[in-house]
Amino acid sequence: MKPLVIGLGNPLRGDDSAGQRAAELSFHCIAPGGADVRLCHQLTPELAELLARASLAIFVDARDGGEPGSVCALRASSYGETRHTHFLTPGALLQLTRTLYGRAPQAWLVTVSAAQFEFGAPLSPEVEAALPELVERICALVAAEGALPEMPCAS
């Protein structure tokens, strides 16, 4: 078993692509073969099988609200379900995984506050500047096997 990093978002909607971009960049600081990295527009039930085989799950996404560019990292079960913008939340996907496969990994949600979600827009300067911190947190979680303190989201 190895960690699973899931980068979420739409690469055609400005800051919504931050989760996928950070997951891609994490390849540079994770040892070869040290994690399975997947890029997805949104969470789907099909990911449950991958989660069941993972030692750790890290969901990476942009979030609406907060100071643009601010990064937070919470255990997935701690994350307020109503604040997540995707239909299937990390918590619901983890519960599905437990139901179907009898286990689910420890899981984290690492997010960055977005400035804009406009079609065709590039990353905002604030989110672009936050990518190194986002990637560093992903890589630190993989290296520590999830044994790090949470980084609460600023309101």
Side-chain angles (χ1 to χ4, degrees):
M1 283 202 267
K2 61 184 171 182
L4 173 63
V5 177
I6 300 175
L8 296 163
N10 184 339
L12 302 176
R13 295 211 56 179
D15 291 344
D16 197 38
S17 67
Q20 286 195 15
R21 291 274 306 278
E24 285 177 313
L25 292 170
S26 72
F27 277 119
H28 300 295
C29 61
I30 296 173
D36 185 6
V37 178
R38 301 294 171 116
L39 309 179
C40 305
H41 278 96
Q42 63 185 23
L43 297 175
T44 60
E46 294 80 6
L47 293 168
E49 182 180 359
L50 289 173
L51 283 167
R53 295 189 314 237
S55 60
L56 169 72
I58 302 168
F59 300 94
V60 189
D61 202 2
R63 70 179 184 282
D64 197 14
E67 181 68 29
S70 63
V71 173
C72 70
L74 300 172
R75 294 186 198 296
S77 60
S78 301
Y79 190 72
E81 297 295 329
T82 59
R83 290 175 47 192
H84 201 273
T85 59
H86 297 282
F87 179 70
L88 183 59
T89 64
L93 182 56
L94 291 164
Q95 183 58 46
L96 176 65
T97 302
R98 276 193 264 325
T99 299
L100 293 175
Y101 298 97
R103 74 165 303 277
Q106 173 190 174
W108 285 81
L109 182 61
V110 180
T111 63
V112 62
S113 286
Q116 53 83 23
F117 293 100
E118 300 300 318
F119 283 109
L123 286 177
S124 67
E126 297 92 344
V127 171
E128 185 77 45
L131 279 177
E133 182 182 358
L134 201 56
V135 171
E136 181 180 313
R137 191 61 180 187
I138 294 165
C139 295
L141 283 166
V142 169
E145 298 179 13
L148 293 176
E150 292 185 324
M151 293 173 55
C153 301
S155 300

